[in-house]
Amino acid sequence: MPSPVQKVALLNAFPNLPHSAEREFIARCVAVLGALGHEARSVVTSDDIIAFNPDLVIVTHEFVAKTTEHFTVGLLWSPTQFYRDDEERLKAIRSWDLAVPINAATRRVARDLHFPLRHDSGVSELDFYPSAPVVELPLPDAGALSVAYVGAHWDGQRHRRLLEELARATDLHVYGPQGAWDFLPNNYRGSIPFDGHSLVQTLNRHGVVLALHKPEHAEEETPSMRVFEACSARCAVITEPMQPLVDLFGDSLRYVDMSLSPRRLAQDIGDIVARFRSEPGLFEQTVRQAHQVFATRASLEHLLTALLDDAVEHKARALQAQAVTAAAPDAPEVAFIIRCGSRPLAVVQRAVAGLAAQSYRRIGLIFVRFAPLEGFADWLEVLRSTGRFSFVQEVLAPGGGLRSAAMWAGLRAVRSELFGLHDDDDELFPEHVAQLVEVLALQPDCGLAFAGAVKQEEDGAFQNQHERFRGALQVEIAERRALKFMDDFSLDRLLRFDNVIQSNAWLARQQVLTDDVLDDPGLEVAEDVYLYLLLASRHRLQFSGRVSAVWNWRSNGGDNSMLAVSQQRWTACAHAINRRLAGVQFPGGFSGRDVLGVGRLARAQSPAFLPGPVASAGSVPVHKALTGSVVKSLLRIASGRRAFLSAADPIPYDAADVVCSLDFTQRRLPPAVVNARGLSDFEAWGCWTDGPTLTLDFRSALPPRFVLHLIGHAYKSNHELPIRVAVGRHEATLTMSARSRASRYSLPMVNADAARSLVFHIPNARSPASLDEQSRETRRLGIGLVRLDIIGQ
């Protein structure tokens, strides 16, 4: 039975690339789904998805995570070598509601990623290929056959010698970006529009398609789109003998041995074409057989129908499992603590609307109000009259400015079996509560269950630092959301204050609220991290394997309390947490004074890891290294960024003086940076500048006086040449070495103009290709950056 009519959003992962396989594939899918009676649309941002409100979101690249409440299906058709060591891509894959692999080997990897909680529910049994639609085209004339080869993203030397030999052996026509085919000028026929139909029509004019793969695709037997496009175009296909293709098409494709020399392989391909020309019957039989298999088993019409059916079934099964949990006679009541008083009533009402929309019904509300809120009392009466919530309770907790005062007032009011925290600007996906209740029901030894979280900018800033947003079109992509937390719980990471639990993303059992836990720690910030540490010392914390919470962030907002807290006050909270948890015992027999800030492994391997105490508070020593680690991590928690290169890297300045840190080993720059012009792609070691100028635009004015600390090196063309660094009208000169990588540099700066930009003028940015004729690297490299710290004076 076919699936009901669906609204389907297909997300373009690379919106600034005018030509991409994803753009072509999405155009085809929109047309095919429309012909099948569904409503389909290409989307770019999370706001596009929300406005369309689809039943299903399909993403075609593992760069793209689930960022909305809509059921999200990811097509996993790249070789695992492309993402198996990329933490960001693996998190994106885990965030999908359903991963649809290309073959059995890829399916095993996806199931491993979801083990143990979602390996059965989060991975499809379908094999989905990057395919094409069934098109009504004539059979090519066997007597006029020629060979077509399309390289949309040519990578330089791949198959160059083979193609040169093939140009001599048969009638070869190549397509793609003009600059990629300088070595075959007589065979180059231009680029093909990526419009969903021109490519197939072009292939049909030639009759024979050479579909060769990158080594990674061949090794992992992940066939490319070209094979299926050729079958759609009613062409004969020459490709490698990948097992999935052999199983699917049998001998209706022509397979070649890529281990042969380029000349011998070109001769074999030429012989295949010559035989098809001389035996039209053989050519027609081969093409018809391949096209029949394609149309019935591998066309987009077939694959998308199967995909929609499978997605509808998985979605229904997930909802049914959660409904059974909620309908159980002993289904627990869930109390949500909502701190409010600093933001308008409308913001609080939005947060509560998200709780009212939860599929789980047994929810009660504990409002902890720490300041007057206009219209609040009348609204509470209206809220109670709706009957949606089990109870609506108000607790007064002025708190004297301490965030923990309001939170702990709410904790002391909890009487329900389960409870969670929900600040007045938080949002949740509709299945959030049901999913976490299900985790706790399945794992009775778990004290706290938490979900992944999406960060959303609410005041005009965009989450568009990712490399996938770059490209020739240079359009500003208004993406406000990004996956922020999608991590399994790690006690050692938490002990190092590397928090992976967003404050509104968890539910805990009421039994964890013992008398000592209910004692308010008196913290202005990081009160949630303190609670996690205390609970983790005696209970198991479990990640749900799903993303279902939204963390709203306002980089420019005056109501953003995290940005309003000075680093000195963060330091004071770090000292308080160290003092308070110094005597708490953590699993493995470690006390807090031994492992806070460094983790259990470091302490076990090096008992003398921490230096002697440099200060004390009562009888509890406060170690300088420990406090520095705490402050660094707490600052990162507040701003959503890595503050320093690594824990092992010595810090030549007081962490409390850090105004902003840019870690160029990370794919995203911190929220304090609104734009970066002149940076190339982020790499594992850091990032090159590209061109004569690097401009960093900051959200706020830089300090009147500061020191610029850099870790990096010059490209060889700029070795020890003067680099001018400007802020406003002030300039200073910096020289960097090309012979010593990741060296540290320091440059005092004066900002009398209250400027918001740092500009690096690089004297001799050169491309490697301009210095070495063997290189094809055309970026104009200037300096390589690992980290940049702005230190206030």
Side-chain angles (χ1 to χ4, degrees), residues 28 222 285 343 347 425 430 433 472 487 514 593 639 660 670 731 749 778:
R28 296 171 185 169
T222 53
Q285 177 185 354
R343 298 185 180 96
V347 178
D425 60 341
V433 176
D487 300 85
T514 55
R593 63 171 46 85
S639 63
C660 182
E731 282 193 357
M749 302 295 294
T778 58

Side-chain angles (χ1 to χ4, degrees), residues 678-702:
L679 277 181
S680 186
D681 295 335
F682 290 85
E683 303 176 44
W685 62 268
C687 188
W688 283 109
T689 61
D690 186 354
T693 306
L694 167 64
T695 303
L696 300 173
D697 297 322
F698 293 83
R699 198 170 301 282
S700 303
L702 294 166

Side-chain angles (χ1 to χ4, degrees), residues 17-25 27-28 137 146-154 172-181 187-210 225-226 229-230 233 235:
L17 294 181
H19 305 292
S20 69
E22 284 75 15
R23 186 181 293 274
E24 173 82 1
F25 178 79
R28 296 171 185 169
L137 290 172
S146 58
V147 179
Y149 186 91
V150 181
H153 293 287
W154 184 249
L172 175 67
H173 302 257
V174 297
Y175 296 86
Q178 183 173 4
W181 295 104
N187 304 85
Y188 178 59
R189 302 294 178 262
S191 60
I192 304 173
F194 279 57
D195 55 14
H197 55 83
S198 292
L199 178 60
V200 171
Q201 293 172 344
T202 300
L203 297 180
N204 176 259
R205 292 200 298 268
H206 295 285
V208 179
V209 173
L210 183 60
M225 194 178 292
R226 201 71 66 232
E229 292 165 339
C235 294

Side-chain angles (χ1 to χ4, degrees), residues 99-260:
V100 184
I102 192 171
N103 57 26
T106 307
R107 181 172 296 103
R108 284 194 296 272
V109 172
R111 287 172 62 85
D112 291 345
L113 286 175
H114 284 299
F115 187 82
L117 288 182
R118 299 189 57 233
H119 61 291
D120 288 326
S121 64
V123 183
S124 173
E125 292 301 316
L126 293 176
D127 289 343
F128 194 98
Y129 307 108
S131 191
V134 176
V135 181
E136 292 299 325
L137 290 172
L139 191 69
D141 179 5
L145 294 178
S146 58
V147 179
Y149 186 91
V150 181
H153 293 287
W154 184 249
D155 59 5
Q157 302 300 314
R158 179 165 55 103
H159 307 314
R160 173 169 177 162
R161 285 194 58 207
L162 168 61
L163 293 168
E164 287 174 334
E165 293 289 345
L166 194 58
R168 289 187 280 268
T170 191
D171 186 10
L172 175 67
H173 302 257
V174 297
Y175 296 86
Q178 183 173 4
W181 295 104
D182 292 342
F183 66 96
L184 288 176
N186 296 327
N187 304 85
Y188 178 59
R189 302 294 178 262
S191 60
I192 304 173
F194 279 57
D195 55 14
H197 55 83
S198 292
L199 178 60
V200 171
Q201 293 172 344
T202 300
L203 297 180
N204 176 259
R205 292 200 298 268
H206 295 285
V208 179
V209 173
L210 183 60
L212 300 181
H213 296 79
K214 290 183 178 180
E216 298 89 346
H217 285 265
E219 289 168 10
E220 298 195 23
E221 298 189 322
T222 53
S224 74
M225 194 178 292
R226 201 71 66 232
V227 173
F228 304 96
E229 292 165 339
C231 291
S232 172
R234 285 179 166 77
C235 294
V237 184
I238 301 174
T239 189
E240 299 98 325
M242 294 182 184
Q243 196 59 49
L245 294 179
V246 174
D247 292 341
L248 188 63
F249 290 100
D251 61 2
S252 64
L253 305 186
R254 291 297 181 265
Y255 307 106
V256 292
D257 183 356
M258 296 300 295
S259 68
L260 298 175

Side-chain angles (χ1 to χ4, degrees), residues 32 35-36 132-135 294-295 298-306:
V32 169
L36 292 172
V134 176
V135 181
F294 162 77
S299 65
L300 277 182
E301 286 82 356
H302 171 80
L303 293 173
L304 287 172
T305 298

Side-chain angles (χ1 to χ4, degrees), residues 331-337 360 362-366 389-393 410-420 507-513:
E333 183 179 66
V334 181
F336 273 97
I337 301 165
Y360 194 87
R362 294 201 66 202
I363 296 175
L365 305 180
I366 302 173
F389 298 103
S390 303
F391 62 88
V392 177
Q393 179 181 354
L411 293 176
R412 289 191 292 269
V414 170
R415 301 294 181 270
S416 303
E417 296 98 314
L418 304 176
F419 68 97
L507 293 182
R509 300 184 192 276
Q510 194 270 341
Q511 294 94 315
V512 307
L513 296 177

Side-chain angles (χ1 to χ4, degrees), residues 45 66 69 84 153 180 186 194 231 258 278 316 376 378 396-397 432 435 484 514 526 556 580-581 609 612 731:
T45 68
K66 173 186 171 80
E69 66 187 54
R84 66 188 180 194
H153 293 287
N186 296 327
F194 279 57
C231 291
M258 296 300 295
S278 63
F376 186 72
D378 292 340
L396 298 179
H432 171 80
Q435 289 169 356
K484 179 58 185 174
T514 55
N556 297 318
R580 192 169 181 90
L581 297 180
F609 181 85
E731 282 193 357

